[in-house]
Amino acid sequence: MDVIRVDDPADPRLADFVGLTDVALRRRREPEEGMFLAEGEKVVLRAVAAGFRPRAAFLEERWLPGLADALAAAGAPAYVAAPEVLEQVTGYVVHRGALVAMERRPLPEPAELLASSRRLAVLEDVVDHTNLGAVFRSAAALGVDGVLLTPRCADPLYRRSVKVSMGAVFSVPYARAASWPECFDEVTGAGFRLLALTPAPDAVALPDLVPAERDALLLGTEGDGLSARALAAADLRVQIPMEGGIDSLNVAAAAAVAFYALRYAVRQ
């Protein structure tokens, strides 16, 4: 493994790590260049364990021992710098002290994901990276087999999503639908019952839901929730009973509650 100590924030070898707070830039660059950023030793090692290959690391000296084996196995260089240099390059204080540029892998086709899943989450236009990462973490913890994203959903491999999910985006299979709302027909055509999560008072309360052999939970975008077309495509509308004058939860919180309810619902 090449260990290269750098003190110049303009060093061109650090190009993968420049401007990490520029969301628009990173959304464009990372998928185009076939890479993503993993931050922190635990997240990096989870990415490597899931089969992603490191291509370069940018880190403080103290994080090198924990990542040395993974970087050496991939033949990836380690650029070591002081915290102030990391901040100048990335645009923020890197609290976990280690960033690794990883190579992306081709996503499975939706049909492949549907064939291998029994309990599925379908996300319609969830655009906030923090919410997306939290949904993936709950999916991993609560027995969801896969996540299907509509075309406008955020990138699960964006640094913020990866960080919030604590690497769950590496362990939960996901696919991105090529078109919307046609993807809903593909889900039901694969034998799933499509459940639309909505605060509508006439929806079936989750504690009363009898699970089907294959259920797909449909979750909507921040603020507006599910579109009228998504609600119309659903086989059944379900809701989380609320108290205290609250009519709905943030999509990430709602996903966790619904995933738990589906996992522990009793078949009749």
Side-chain angles (χ1 to χ4, degrees):
M1 176 186 62
D2 292 330
V3 178
I4 304 157
R5 287 169 175 80
V6 294
D7 55 16
D8 181 6
D11 192 318
R13 295 172 295 182
L14 304 177
D16 282 351
F17 309 97
V18 171
L20 299 191
T21 58
D22 188 334
V23 178
L25 172 67
R26 303 306 301 194
R27 281 176 175 169
R28 182 178 69 254
R29 268 197 62 195
E30 292 183 15
E32 287 178 356
E33 297 178 15
M35 55 88 71
F36 68 93
L37 270 295
E39 180 178 352
E41 182 179 316
K42 287 183 179 180
V43 170
V44 171
L45 294 179
R46 286 174 183 172
V48 171
F52 291 94
R53 183 179 181 275
R55 71 184 205 177
F58 185 37
L59 69 170
E60 294 178 46
E61 182 91 36
R62 64 194 177 101
W63 295 106
L64 191 57
L67 296 174
D69 288 347
L71 296 174
Y79 299 105
V80 176
E84 56 269 23
V85 176
L86 268 78
E87 182 177 355
Q88 290 177 66
V89 172
T90 63
Y92 75 105
V93 177
V94 185
H95 293 292
R96 288 187 170 92
L99 290 162
V100 177
M102 314 288 298
E103 294 181 355
R104 290 182 182 244
R105 299 182 306 195
L107 289 180
E109 292 297 322
E112 181 182 343
L113 180 73
L114 295 173
S116 62
S117 302
R118 186 176 68 83
R119 190 177 297 116
L120 188 72
V122 182
L123 307 187
E124 183 190 38
D125 299 350
V126 174
V127 297
D128 182 88
H129 292 98
T130 298
N131 284 334
L132 191 67
V135 169
F136 268 84
R137 188 171 184 181
S138 294
L142 296 168
V144 173
D145 302 314
V147 177
L148 179 64
L149 307 171
T150 62
R152 290 186 59 238
C153 279
D155 178 12
L157 295 183
Y158 181 70
R159 178 178 56 88
R160 183 64 181 166
S161 297
V162 172
K163 184 176 178 179
V164 170
S165 79
M166 286 299 295
V169 293
F170 308 137
S171 61
V172 178
Y174 70 92
R176 189 177 293 273
S179 60
W180 170 97
E182 292 78 10
C183 59
F184 301 141
D185 294 333
E186 189 172 2
V187 173
T188 55
F192 284 87
R193 180 178 61 170
L194 195 59
L195 305 173
L197 191 63
T198 170
D202 59 346
V204 175
L206 273 171
D208 299 329
L209 180 69
V210 178
E213 185 62 32
R214 305 181 87 191
D215 276 325
L217 183 68
L218 184 55
L219 297 153
T221 188
E222 295 85 357
D224 293 334
L226 292 171
S227 67
R229 299 176 80 175
L231 289 168
D235 298 301
L236 189 65
R237 299 184 185 194
V238 295
Q239 52 116 323
I240 300 170
M242 299 283 171
E243 297 182 12
I246 305 299
D247 65 348
S248 63
L249 297 175
N250 164 275
V251 64
V257 172
F259 294 161
Y260 181 91
L262 282 178
R263 180 176 186 180
Y264 292 105
V266 177
R267 296 181 183 274
Q268 295 182 355

